[in-house]
Amino acid sequence: LKFRLAGYPRKHNEGRVEVFYNDEWGTICDDDFTLANAHVLCRHLGFVAATGWAHSAKYGKGIGRIWLDNVNCAGGEKSIGDCKHRGWGNSDCSHEEDAGVICKDERIPGFKDSNIIEVRKLLARVGSRCGPGSLKASCREPCHGAALLWGSPAWPHSSLNGWPSTPPLPAGCGGCVSGLLSPCRLFTERQQLNYRLHSVSCAGTEVHLSMCAFEFYRGNASAACGAGMPAVVSCVPGPLFATGSAHKKKQRQQQQGQPRIRLKGGAKVGEGRVEVLKSSEWGTVCDDRWNLLSASVVCRELGFGSAKEALTGARMGQGTGPIHVNEVQCLGTEKSLWSCPFKNITQEDCKHTEDAAVRCNIPYMGYETLIRLSGGRSRFEGRVEVAVGTGDRDQPRWGLVCGEGWGTLEAMVACRQLGLGFANHGLQETWYWDASNVTEMVLSGVKCAGHEMSLSHCQHHGTSLNCRNTGTRFAAGVICSERTKKDSASDLLLHAPLVQETAYIEDRPLHMLYCAAEENCLSSSARLANWPYGHRRLLRFSSQIHNNGRADFRPKAGRHSWVWHECH
């Protein structure tokens, strides 16, 4: 049996239940439906439990057969087929009675979702030219290494036996994998090699090496691979990870002329809502048939590795504007999403609640080891400290960042570098407890665009420090969002279509804007106006805000001190 959630509108963990039986998708009738039934179905779908269920085709009417009716589960069954029911295909219902479930947004550990790859990372022992590191890390520069799989304390090698001269391997870090390099460099490693895999055969469309065909060595692994050598690969770094201006220039030239694509709304590098440029207008991708193969094409096109998650149901927030494409069906070999088969969208096909998103594998760069927070009340806040050079005993020397000019964009980069998601606040003055005894200011003039992976990538004064106030009180600080990986989209969602439909410009007389001025609802130039004569030009619109997450509303002011503002 296979199960899926369908319908509209819905989140990723709710929807109409559809079951694949006898080579045909069908629905379940809501007659006698209970929460116990929903528990069993949610476990089928990979969630730990159900929090509710829906009747009367709340998520829309399905099509095809109604496979089950009068289902009665105790709640502990391993399969819905073990519950009492009228028999497969025996129903007196119509699709107006299709049942739905709302599952708890928590996955069963180890559950294999076809749109999520959860496997241990591929590691590498890099040759003497590059020093130790991971295969992903080796893509920081075009260096070479022997491929290893994490699997036993012996760090077992993959054998060269059966390995093609130009293997179309799934790259862990953007771009293609080049052909074999001279294995003689590996003789610099004076140690016994233990082999576990041989005859690795990939089609090139796999999102992870573990999904290729291969064979295990049995018995004495140290005597294996007699006719071969350790497999060797060289990765091509993506634009974000390329070193040297010549390499970056070459990559930019390769990308020119291609249809454009971007990720938006993600808290981390390599994740976000997929947006494509068509007819000079950015739009989104509908999640119908969205899977790891299509997501991997997007990730590689952007210079990342293969995809580790293909997200549906606007998990990275709802986009605005048009939805350009639907039912993308990539084979995995395409170099661009636009080379994949897809359907042009129509108004009825999709809504922005179905925007597709991705999480890509990216090279491990170690940026989070060069920044830390100190003195905060939780690990999500504190004074920003950065590592510069080395101090005593080859330990990194830590210093403070000047708070002058520090704002939200800089805080976004700092929180991203820390791996803590979005920024809530960028603080120019900090009153945090001096937990680390760091008092020296080492970085000033930091100015970020917001997309950088590290503060060191932003503009700054370099070694010539220029900060008017060098006391610890004037060091930069951040408060990052306490949001888990699962909830990486914003909790509060603006109803974007409503804003677009209702927006208009109004010239409003100044004498009608006294309240707005007193409450700082007008721009700062309003102070220079000739009150009460003249007018201000305002952008007016209706808005609805939906809370899409589990975070509490926690205003700084207590309820007793709330006041209503006419201008809001």
Side-chain angles (χ1 to χ4, degrees):
L1 296 177
K2 293 180 183 177
F3 296 84
R4 69 184 182 189
L5 293 174
Y8 170 82
R10 67 182 184 88
K11 298 178 185 176
H12 67 281
N13 57 324
E14 63 177 329
R16 180 178 65 249
V17 180
E18 296 189 351
V19 56
F20 190 70
Y21 177 79
N22 201 20
D23 293 328
E24 187 180 348
W25 284 102
T27 61
I28 298 176
C29 182
D30 62 12
D31 289 353
D32 300 330
F33 207 85
T34 64
L35 188 61
N37 298 355
H39 282 312
V40 176
L41 287 165
C42 284
R43 288 197 295 270
H44 271 305
L45 292 158
F47 297 96
V48 294
T51 58
W53 61 278
H55 58 83
S56 306
K58 175 186 174 182
Y59 300 102
K61 294 187 285 187
I63 56 174
R65 300 283 296 275
I66 299 175
W67 279 123
L68 292 173
D69 190 7
N70 299 112
V71 180
N72 185 5
C73 302
E77 293 86 352
K78 289 187 176 181
S79 169
I80 196 75
D82 298 335
C83 303
K84 295 177 181 177
H85 55 81
R86 291 179 57 159
W88 289 96
N90 183 9
S91 169
D92 58 0
C93 299
S94 70
H95 280 297
E96 292 180 348
E97 300 168 81
D98 284 343
V101 294
I102 303 100
C103 302
K104 185 177 181 181
D105 191 7
E106 184 180 336
R107 286 284 182 184
I108 296 171
F111 179 80
K112 299 301 181 200
D113 187 324
S114 62
N115 272 0
I116 301 175
I117 177 84
E118 291 184 3
V119 288
R120 291 189 172 183
K121 292 178 181 176
L122 185 70
L123 301 178
R125 181 178 293 113
V126 180
S128 59
R129 189 168 75 83
C130 300
S134 73
L135 182 58
K136 291 184 178 182
S138 72
C139 287
R140 278 175 278 179
E141 54 185 356
C143 61
H144 315 120
L148 285 102
L149 292 175
W150 176 279
S152 76
W155 295 90
H157 279 65
S158 329
S159 164
L160 204 62
N161 290 351
W163 193 281
S165 60
T166 53
L169 277 175
C173 36
C176 303
V177 177
S178 78
L180 281 177
L181 306 161
S182 170
C184 63
R185 72 179 70 243
L186 298 172
F187 282 112
T188 56
E189 296 185 353
R190 304 293 183 186
Q191 58 188 34
Q192 185 78 36
L193 300 180
N194 290 316
Y195 295 91
R196 288 290 180 270
L197 300 183
H198 69 95
S199 303
V200 181
S201 177
C202 300
T205 58
E206 296 86 352
V207 297
H208 197 278
L209 193 66
S210 64
M211 304 179 82
C212 301
F214 56 80
E215 294 181 34
F216 281 106
Y217 277 114
R218 306 293 179 188
N220 185 4
S222 61
C225 197
M229 289 291 298
V232 183
V233 295
S234 175
C235 298
V236 180
L240 280 173
F241 312 101
T243 56
S245 57
H247 197 90
K248 289 187 177 181
K249 185 177 179 182
K250 183 181 177 183
Q251 295 236 347
R252 277 198 300 270
Q253 288 172 347
Q254 290 173 347
Q255 288 178 335
Q256 282 177 357
Q258 294 181 2
R260 295 183 61 193
I261 188 168
R262 68 185 184 186
L263 301 182
K264 300 290 282 185
K268 299 179 181 178
V269 175
E271 69 175 29
R273 179 178 62 254
V274 180
E275 296 192 353
V276 292
L277 187 64
K278 183 179 179 183
S279 303
S280 302
E281 189 174 13
W282 285 103
T284 60
V285 176
C286 187
D287 64 11
D288 291 351
R289 299 199 177 190
W290 186 247
N291 60 21
L292 278 169
L293 285 176
S294 300
S296 289
V297 170
V298 169
C299 290
R300 288 176 178 143
E301 183 177 358
L302 290 165
F304 303 114
S306 54
K308 57 184 176 182
E309 280 190 70
L311 301 169
T312 58
R315 291 282 299 281
M316 291 289 175
Q318 297 179 31
T320 60
I323 303 173
H324 281 320
V325 293
N326 187 20
E327 294 192 22
V328 181
Q329 297 182 66
C330 299
L331 299 174
T333 55
E334 298 87 351
K335 290 188 176 181
S336 170
L337 189 73
W338 291 102
S339 303
C340 303
F342 63 86
K343 279 177 61 177
N344 287 313
I345 203 75
T346 61
Q347 190 80 27
E348 298 77 31
D349 284 339
C350 282
K351 309 290 183 188
H352 278 298
T353 51
E354 300 170 83
D355 284 343
V358 295
R359 282 198 179 104
C360 306
N361 286 303
I362 63 169
Y364 173 70
M365 308 301 285
Y367 292 137
E368 78 281 1
T369 63
L370 305 176
I371 188 172
R372 68 186 185 189
L373 300 181
S374 70
R377 296 163 293 182
S378 73
R379 69 185 186 92
F380 295 94
E381 67 174 356
R383 202 174 56 190
V384 176
E385 297 178 0
V386 293
V388 286
T390 54
D392 297 336
R393 300 176 188 171
D394 291 328
Q395 295 296 313
R397 183 169 67 92
W398 292 92
L400 306 176
V401 179
C402 180
E404 288 176 23
W406 182 267
T408 304
L409 293 177
E410 290 72 33
M412 282 170 59
V413 175
C415 291
R416 180 182 299 126
Q417 185 177 352
L418 287 157
L420 297 179
F422 293 105
N424 277 346
H425 298 288
L427 308 172
Q428 294 188 359
E429 290 186 38
T430 50
W431 298 87
Y432 291 118
W433 174 55
D434 186 12
S436 59
N437 206 26
V438 173
T439 57
E440 183 187 3
M441 204 78 75
V442 296
L443 197 62
S444 66
V446 179
K447 188 172 180 61
C448 302
H451 56 74
E452 296 89 348
M453 293 188 291
S454 166
L455 286 179
S456 62
H457 297 166
C458 303
Q459 295 179 22
H460 55 83
H461 291 154
T463 54
S464 54
L465 194 72
N466 184 8
C467 189
R468 280 181 299 177
N469 299 303
T470 55
T472 56
R473 171 186 153 191
F474 299 101
V478 293
I479 301 176
C480 302
S481 172
E482 294 187 47
R483 194 171 289 125
T484 63
K485 288 181 182 179
K486 225 179 276 182
D487 303 319
S488 53
S490 175
D491 280 344
L492 298 180
L493 295 179
L494 184 70
H495 190 330
L498 182 65
V499 173
Q500 290 178 316
E501 290 164 11
T502 61
Y504 66 96
I505 287 176
E506 178 190 7
D507 289 337
R508 197 162 178 85
L510 279 176
H511 67 83
M512 298 178 68
L513 290 171
Y514 274 110
C515 171
E518 289 170 3
E519 299 301 335
N520 258 346
C521 297
L522 303 179
S523 63
S524 56
S525 62
R527 297 173 192 161
L528 308 176
N530 185 22
W531 292 81
Y533 308 105
H535 66 272
R536 300 292 293 176
R537 176 159 288 184
L538 307 178
L539 177 66
R540 306 294 299 269
F541 54 88
S542 297
S543 69
Q544 291 177 8
I545 306 293
H546 301 280
N547 188 350
N548 200 37
R550 298 189 295 273
D552 294 329
F553 173 57
R554 293 178 293 183
K556 292 180 180 178
R559 186 180 292 271
H560 64 279
S561 60
W562 292 5
V563 291
W564 291 100
H565 298 306
E566 193 177 333
C567 58
H568 288 172

